[in-house]
Amino acid sequence: MNDEFLDEIWAQFESEALEHCKNSEDLLLDSVNKDLSKAEIDSIFRSFHSLKGLTGSIGLSETVTLTHLAEDLISESRKGKIILDDNLRTALLNFTDVLKAILQKSIKERKEVITKNFGSCKSVLEEILQGKPSKIKQKNRNETFDDSLVSEPLSNLDSLEEERFTQVSSASLDDLFQKSGTLISRANALKRAFEQVNTMAENDYANVILEKLVNDIQIVNGRITDLRLISVNDLVRRLKRAAIDTSKSLKKKIQFNVKGDNERADRSIIRALADPLMHMIRNSIDHGIEEDKDRPKKGIGKINLSFQKEGDNLVIKLSDDGRGLDKDKILKKAIEKKFISKSNPKELEERDIYSLIFKPGFSTAENVSSTSGRGVGMDVVEKNIAMLGGKIEIFSEKNKGTNISVLIPGAVSTEECIILKDLPTFYAVPSRSIQWVKNKSDLETDIVTGTEHIRYNKSQIPIQDLSKLLSLPTNNSKGFVEKIILLSLSDKAIAINYFGDFVYDEIVFDQPDKLISNLPFVSGTTVDDDRNIIFRLNVERLFDYDNQAA
């Protein structure tokens, strides 16, 4: 049996096995808010039965015993002998987690690889099947609250669903996306070259052809970009699990409703959304939803999440019917943290008050727990959304709840940049991060504690020496006019100086290799037509570095 044939068998196996895992997990998650119908329980049984057959056919003999137990439990539930209660649901969800981990490792190694949680999962399923009281160990589930786990990108198992959705490998899509974006950049460069030649009839004709070429390439790029779009369904599945686990940990009853879970967005955007959405949902349950005893009239806590396309953008809305944000408490904490002065709190509009929760280190929680109180969270959420080119807004009403709205681009395409071509190494600065570029001689500057500052929005912003930040030799000896580039991220701003000229271009960046990624302010690379290497300036990292960002 040759390797190519074996690869096809494993590929077919992973496609079918993961589909059954996801189908059963979706139904188990749905059972939190409603009783499953006989047809739905039958569907879970068929999925577990199929998983038993699939793992047996590929030679995963120990895994078969685990799937057999899960199948037997659902079979007993079909007969009415075992109730699909919270205990059984948690055990079966744990089973799907363990099974997916086994599949992931076994598919990679092309042989059965048993994970460390296999034994404990099997024991719990056996105890429930035998009618013994079994307390599900919370250790593994509580790991969900570990921030390091949340910040990880979607797992390889999740990305397999993306490949199946497009019917081509993600690597091929990324390669096509890169090449089509490069074609646009080169076609634009060719057009600029034509514009520098004296106009002749032949050149006019060539320009017409070139315009068509650019248009055709943009169409191809748009279609390839569309191929990269995947459903948010996998992300929603993770968020449902987080909501269930958080509510159980905090002993709060909630109903988590989702609309628009078939909307699509770029793969990279969905990965980047996982962390901020996870944090906001936990906050809603922890800070927003009251204890069960404190909401007798409201009943079970409701959290609503929706995804909706508006043009090329994706709008995400998250709301809860909890206690709402306490403006007075926010203002008191902001004054205490010196985010605002005591003299001007009344001048702040309601929206400005709510935006204070995005300040680094801000938290009104009195106690530190696994989900809140550490002052690390909403500032990172806002930063991550801003890095995607999006924005976030909060509206709240006391004792009625909080609404959060996120607007982000639904797809990643070529990135508009200015290229600083008179540095010893070319750097590209994303245009969306630039407020303006001005000659320094046209600006009013002040010296504050020995550092030159510019004035912007009633703030004093220090001028950072770009060459020193990038560890490059200063090139002001060439007689270039000094320019100031004002960068912004969320409500913060940084000013950097630059001696030289720049050009505008649309660029598709590659991920930097291991060597280049060690450079502190580089987040992407590309090569221009003259074979110059261009680094994407990591603006986000600049803001982390600059503690004086206004």
Side-chain angles (χ1 to χ4, degrees):
M1 195 178 294
N2 60 41
D3 290 343
E4 185 176 348
F5 183 65
L6 281 174
D7 287 343
E8 290 179 4
I9 291 176
W10 279 99
Q12 183 67 26
F13 164 73
E14 78 183 4
S15 174
E16 294 183 22
L18 293 175
E19 188 67 31
H20 287 302
C21 282
K22 291 180 180 181
N23 286 342
S24 56
E25 189 175 1
D26 283 339
L27 288 168
L28 288 168
L29 291 170
D30 287 343
S31 71
V32 174
N33 295 329
K34 67 172 187 177
D35 292 331
L36 295 183
S37 66
K38 182 180 182 302
E40 289 171 324
I41 293 178
D42 287 345
S43 179
I44 298 176
F45 174 79
R46 286 194 297 271
S47 289
F48 287 172
H49 180 75
S50 298
L51 284 167
K52 183 182 72 172
L54 285 166
T55 52
S57 68
I58 206 74
L60 309 185
S61 56
E62 288 191 64
T63 309
V64 169
T65 64
L66 195 65
T67 56
H68 198 160
L69 284 170
E71 178 193 25
D72 286 347
L73 280 168
I74 286 296
S75 177
E76 294 297 288
S77 180
R78 292 170 80 200
K79 298 173 184 175
K81 294 182 178 181
I82 296 180
I83 298 174
L84 183 54
D85 58 7
D86 188 60
N87 197 46
L88 178 55
R89 181 191 306 110
T90 301
L92 292 176
L93 285 172
N94 281 340
F95 156 72
T96 61
D97 288 342
V98 172
L99 180 60
K100 285 190 290 185
I102 292 173
L103 294 178
Q104 184 178 18
K105 294 181 180 296
S106 299
I107 289 166
K108 183 179 180 180
E109 298 295 329
R110 293 293 191 261
K111 63 180 182 180
E112 187 170 35
V113 180
I114 299 302
T115 60
K116 62 180 181 180
N117 294 329
F118 177 89
S120 59
C121 177
K122 184 178 178 182
S123 296
V124 168
L125 296 182
E126 287 173 338
E127 288 172 1
I128 297 175
L129 190 59
Q130 293 166 9
K132 296 178 181 179
S134 175
K135 183 176 177 61
I136 307 296
K137 291 184 179 180
Q138 290 298 313
K139 180 181 177 183
N140 295 331
R141 300 310 314 148
N142 284 344
E143 287 177 358
T144 310
F145 301 120
D146 185 344
D147 286 340
S148 66
L149 217 167
V150 177
S151 62
E152 288 178 1
L154 291 174
S155 70
N156 292 334
L157 288 173
D158 291 325
S159 68
L160 292 173
E161 171 64 22
E162 299 161 15
E163 294 177 8
R164 202 160 64 252
F165 181 87
T166 58
Q167 297 299 313
V168 293
S169 71
S170 293
S172 297
L173 281 175
D174 289 341
D175 185 57
L176 283 170
F177 178 68
Q178 170 68 29
K179 285 181 170 57
S180 63
T182 302
L183 283 172
I184 293 176
S185 180
R186 289 180 176 173
N188 286 331
L190 184 59
K191 183 178 180 181
R192 289 194 296 270
F194 270 118
E195 291 171 351
Q196 295 173 3
V197 179
N198 293 328
T199 302
M200 296 181 294
E202 291 83 0
N203 285 344
D204 290 340
Y205 176 73
N207 274 310
V208 171
I209 298 299
L210 185 58
E211 288 285 353
K212 293 180 179 179
L213 171 63
V214 171
N215 184 61
D216 289 342
I217 293 173
Q218 287 174 336
I219 291 173
V220 171
N221 182 252
R223 289 177 179 171
I224 292 173
T225 299
D226 187 66
L227 285 176
R228 286 170 54 96
L229 304 183
I230 64 166
S231 170
V232 299
N233 188 262
D234 281 338
L235 173 60
V236 167
R237 186 179 293 108
R238 291 186 67 195
L239 298 177
K240 284 182 178 179
R241 293 295 298 272
I244 292 171
D245 293 337
T246 305
S247 63
K248 285 184 65 178
S249 173
L250 298 172
K251 296 180 172 59
K252 294 181 180 181
K253 295 178 181 178
I254 67 158
Q255 182 177 323
F256 186 63
N257 305 307
V258 181
K259 289 185 178 179
D261 54 348
N262 288 321
E263 291 290 358
R264 298 192 299 150
D266 191 277
R267 289 183 296 116
S268 59
I269 288 174
I270 288 181
R271 288 194 183 103
L273 280 173
D275 190 358
L277 287 179
M278 197 86 72
H279 188 90
M280 288 190 288
I281 288 169
R282 289 175 179 167
N283 267 6
S284 291
I285 300 171
D286 191 11
H287 295 297
I289 302 298
E290 305 93 334
E291 299 287 341
D292 293 349
K293 61 182 176 60
D294 296 329
R295 45 183 299 139
K297 294 182 179 180
K298 291 183 179 179
I300 190 170
K302 294 180 178 62
I303 296 178
N304 300 308
L305 175 67
S306 68
F307 299 85
Q308 183 178 349
K309 271 295 186 66
E310 288 188 4
D312 293 331
N313 296 318
L314 181 67
V315 178
I316 304 166
K317 294 182 179 180
L318 178 68
S319 66
D320 66 65
D321 67 344
R323 60 173 61 93
L325 296 177
D326 189 327
K327 289 186 290 185
D328 294 334
K329 199 171 184 179
I330 291 173
L331 284 172
K332 181 181 178 181
K333 182 63 71 171
I335 293 172
E336 180 184 313
K337 290 276 190 179
K338 297 182 180 180
F339 292 139
I340 58 174
S341 66
K342 292 182 179 179
S343 59
N344 69 348
K346 293 183 179 179
E347 298 176 8
L348 293 175
E349 294 183 3
E350 195 172 69
R351 181 180 298 182
D352 297 326
I353 295 173
Y354 295 145
S355 68
L356 289 169
I357 70 172
F358 294 123
K359 293 290 186 181
F362 187 91
S363 176
T364 59
E366 296 178 0
N367 299 311
V368 176
S369 70
S370 61
T371 55
S372 65
R374 293 164 293 176
V376 179
M378 290 305 288
D379 60 316
V380 178
V381 167
E382 186 192 34
K383 178 186 169 185
N384 288 353
I385 297 298
M387 286 168 59
L388 293 172
K391 60 181 181 180
I392 180 172
E393 293 183 344
I394 294 183
F395 303 92
S396 187
E397 192 171 348
K398 194 170 183 179
N399 295 323
K400 289 191 175 180
T402 301
N403 295 275
I404 302 176
S405 179
V406 176
L407 176 71
I408 57 170
V412 175
S413 187
T414 53
E415 190 168 24
E416 292 184 1
C417 298
I418 64 168
I419 301 173
L420 310 181
K421 64 185 187 66
D422 288 310
L423 290 174
T425 302
F426 288 13
Y427 275 82
V429 185
S431 296
R432 71 181 182 212
S433 301
I434 300 173
Q435 283 292 321
W436 45 252
V437 180
K438 296 181 180 180
N439 291 336
K440 182 182 174 184
S441 58
D442 297 333
L443 300 171
E444 291 186 19
T445 61
D446 302 295
I447 302 296
V448 181
T449 61
T451 303
E452 198 167 16
H453 288 62
I454 63 167
R455 301 173 189 173
Y456 176 72
N457 282 356
K458 300 180 181 180
S459 297
Q460 294 279 1
I461 302 175
I463 299 174
Q464 304 285 351
D465 189 323
L466 182 60
S467 295
K468 287 184 179 178
L469 285 172
L470 303 178
S471 301
L472 298 173
T474 304
N475 62 347
N476 54 359
S477 60
K478 295 182 180 179
F480 290 118
V481 174
E482 183 177 7
K483 296 179 176 64
I484 302 297
I485 304 172
L486 187 69
L487 305 173
S488 64
L489 183 69
S490 301
D491 63 341
K492 302 178 181 66
I494 289 177
I496 56 175
N497 71 339
Y498 167 63
F499 293 89
D501 296 324
F502 54 82
V503 295
Y504 290 94
D505 206 348
E506 295 180 359
I507 301 174
V508 174
F509 292 100
D510 286 324
Q511 288 295 317
D513 59 29
K514 289 184 178 180
L515 178 63
I516 299 300
S517 62
N518 289 326
L519 297 175
F521 300 109
V522 175
S523 57
T525 61
T526 190
V527 178
D528 68 10
D529 295 320
D530 296 322
R531 298 185 179 180
N532 296 306
I533 296 175
I534 302 175
F535 293 151
R536 181 190 185 276
L537 185 67
N538 190 337
V539 175
E540 299 80 19
R541 177 70 183 87
L542 275 178
F543 280 87
D544 286 339
Y545 175 81
D546 181 25
N547 293 325
Q548 301 182 63

